[in-house]
Amino acid sequence: MDKSKFSRPIDIGRVKVTDPFWHTIQETVRREVIPYQWDALNDRVPGAEPSFCMHNFRAAARLMERKSQPGFTEPSYTFRGFQTLPEDKNNPDPDKFYGFVFQDSDFYKWVEAAAYSLCNHPDPELEATVDGAIDVICAAQHDSGYLDTYYILNGMNGSFTNLKDHHELYCLGHLVESAAAYYMATGKDRLLGAAKRYADYVGECFGPEEGKRKGYPGHEIAEMALFRLYEITGEEKYLALGKFFLDQRGTEPNYFLEEERRREGRHEPKGDTAPYAYYQAHKPVREQEEAMGHAVRAGYLYSGMADGARLTGDDSMLAVCNRLWDNIVKKKLYITGGIGGTAVGEAFSYPYDLPNDTAYSESCAAISLAFFARRMLEINPVSQYADVMELAMYNTVLSGMALDGKSFFYVNPLEVDPAACKADTRLEHVEPVRQKWFGCACCPPNIARIVTSAAAYAFTEREDAVFTHLYMGSEITKKVGGAKLRLTLESSIPWEGRAAMTVHTDTPAMCTLAFRLPGWCRKPAVTGPEGMERSEKDGYIYFTGLWHDGDRVELNFPMDIRLSSADPRVREDLGRVAVTRGPVCYCLEQADNGENLHLLRVDPGAIDRAIVSDIEICGQKMCALELDGYRLELPDEGSPLYADYAPPRESPAKLKFIPYYAWANRGEGEMSVWVRV
């Protein structure tokens, strides 16, 4: 493994996002989403599903306070279900746990989003709110260091007895990520201290040493979080614990099966380990060849594997990451950048099974894919990783949030008929309009944290280099030797294919600036300063030399309207095309094209006459595409269900496509990404 290629995410405190597209979205998150989600976590959003998240932390804090009182007895574990709701949602018992077993994690993701927002937008009121909430979280922590309100309130003697399903290590992962982000943004380490205490307690319980548990997370994320904690603190024990979880996963005897036997008092195996593919625990990670199981868990695991490979120089682990990456992008990836084709287990389906109307394509899954892609870029700057990361972020990630930031999609289908959603139980997971909140609200705060940290996906750096992966207009500061550079990236992407980076410095600096050549552009044109060494490798163009004030790199990426077809093994898309332009996937919506979108087809021979026009949806400007096509004429009412074949009768039609991420912002209606040809 060539460590000289490694880069790291740029410190977003040194990046000011000026991009018209991303700045608008980040401002929506800052002004609308973060305050809204804080209200949701405190059950103050009328008409929304209650979260009970902060309710649980406050209840646990009160319980910890009572520990010092005479006669106190800790609760003895009582199983209360994967989700527990009060009989009266308006009057929950103040001392009981409610919600899903992983409810704590929603708060941690909210803190992470708030932290990244604070990096560039100091907000004393928001910071005070976060600090006050952190006080509650720290007060809720058990004196052992353990921190999971489900077991603190329901009985600590049941902790770590159901790793497969009960998310304690998943909550540890999100605690660490939020604490790291808040420490980076504010320099305050109280939450980081709580995260370290919990990680230390976990390290006392799990590991290869005799007497320790040999388990691993049922829902992954602790792995990459522990690696991040190691990079922040330099403490090898966190690297070792993350590596242990990766190495132990899926080994025999299968830990999940063993703990199930212990929990249920059985002494004989029940079935085989096949169901553990849902948890990516069906075989050791180095033996896995196909992306399987719950798509979010898988994406988080593969991200942790990539981190582990980079930090330990493990070539065998990197080979597995590449193998799983190829399996996803060649056989299991939606054209919108979504993953997870089936609602059964929120999971990857079999190769080339990518249904559109029953798609799951969870918002969190697309985010996990972006995590995986960014980590692969850190190891090796290859444009295909950034192409997929860009696809996910501009399409499915953004689709998960309404343009006003006040409602959300958990599931991101590629075809919707609202009438079918209401009548067909097979589509009960598909919502034709975004929801205010969810009882299982993993997606909304996840979207907020990746949007506020988007610059860390756009740019990575080495000591003497900056890589531009996404063309997100920004001002970047960087020290190279004794010189301080200010790099200004101007970008009109995603609506026009122009970008330019200008160097500002008082002292000439020797370094490399590298720029991705997007896979969606057929004929890129890039110019740099005269005399600068120029090279091209793996889809990136490199300029290396002595940079002076005013030096400029100009990039022109012509944005053709493209009709994309799927591999014919994708049965659902045979004879259909998807319309893309630049990084954006487009869709038909009933608001522009009327009902019965399935009757429309596009004329591929008229693509040269397609029109790019401006449109405004919910106050946001974007590009729409107008293509020539046809509408199939329906037979008269009362016609027989089946009849002798006759050539279809069609009439010319103008087809209007809008960006996929913007659908369902103008009321309920049909939508389709794929259209007949």
Side-chain angles (χ1 to χ4, degrees), residues 313-457:
D314 189 335
D315 287 307
S316 65
M317 187 70 81
L318 180 58
V320 178
C321 291
N322 280 311
R323 186 165 69 224
L324 293 167
W325 174 272
D326 285 346
N327 180 255
I328 291 171
V329 300
K330 293 178 180 178
K331 298 180 179 180
K332 299 192 175 188
L333 177 67
Y334 280 105
I335 197 166
T336 54
I339 53 174
T342 175
V344 180
E346 304 178 338
F348 287 106
S349 188
Y350 55 87
Y352 304 108
D353 183 42
L354 293 165
N356 297 307
D357 59 343
T358 62
Y360 207 76
S361 185
E362 184 182 340
S363 297
C364 284
I367 292 168
S368 77
L369 182 62
F371 289 170
F372 186 24
R374 208 273 308 279
R375 284 160 173 79
M376 295 299 283
L377 283 168
E378 290 177 49
I379 296 172
N380 199 3
V382 177
S383 61
Q384 64 154 318
Y385 302 134
D387 285 342
V388 172
M389 181 172 72
E390 180 182 62
L391 189 70
M393 290 184 67
Y394 277 90
N395 296 286
T396 300
V397 170
L398 294 184
S399 169
M401 181 177 73
L403 294 176
D404 66 3
K406 294 181 179 179
S407 57
F408 306 90
F409 277 142
Y410 194 105
V411 173
N412 296 275
L414 282 74
E415 182 177 317
V416 167
D417 177 359
C421 293
K422 296 169 184 174
D424 189 344
T425 56
R426 293 171 298 180
L427 298 172
E428 62 184 6
H429 61 287
V430 177
E431 297 286 354
V433 294
R434 294 173 182 83
Q435 305 299 296
K436 288 184 176 182
W437 199 249
F438 307 93
C440 175
C442 52
C443 296
N446 223 2
I447 296 167
R449 71 181 180 131
I450 196 172
V451 166
T452 51
S453 62
Y457 297 81

